[in-house]
Amino acid sequence: TVSESDGTKRLFDAGTGSLLRVLPGSPSMATAMDASPDGRWIVAACEDRTAQLWDLDAPAAAPPRVLTAAGRFHCARFSP
């Protein structure tokens, strides 16, 4: 996964480098991203004090679940 300076989040195939999906959501840049061990979920901690959670089994245009906090999220990780 990659977060561009314009806030676009992109998911790539690590083996081939091909673009798999552009993730819709906040235009804020992600400071940390992670994929769940089963490959179904992507989470991003963003500069706008949100964490965004995408279900990769959902349609490509489906918006992420958005979590907010009073402060910034500093990391984004899944627990096994």
Side-chain angles (χ1 to χ4, degrees):
T1 54
V2 174
S3 179
E4 304 288 343
S5 60
D6 67 356
T8 304
K9 286 95 177 154
R10 301 177 191 275
L11 178 63
F12 291 89
D13 181 301
T16 66
S18 53
L19 178 65
L20 299 174
R21 184 183 291 193
V22 176
L23 303 169
S26 164
S28 182
M29 187 169 175
T31 56
M33 297 179 79
D34 193 26
S36 64
D38 64 4
R40 180 176 175 185
W41 300 92
I42 298 288
V43 65
C46 298
E47 291 180 337
D48 64 357
R49 297 182 180 179
T50 65
Q52 299 176 38
L53 184 65
W54 290 271
D55 179 350
L56 298 180
D57 286 345
R65 295 182 189 177
V66 178
L67 308 168
T68 59
R72 290 181 64 182
F73 288 97
H74 296 280
C75 65
R77 294 293 304 198
F78 284 94
S79 176

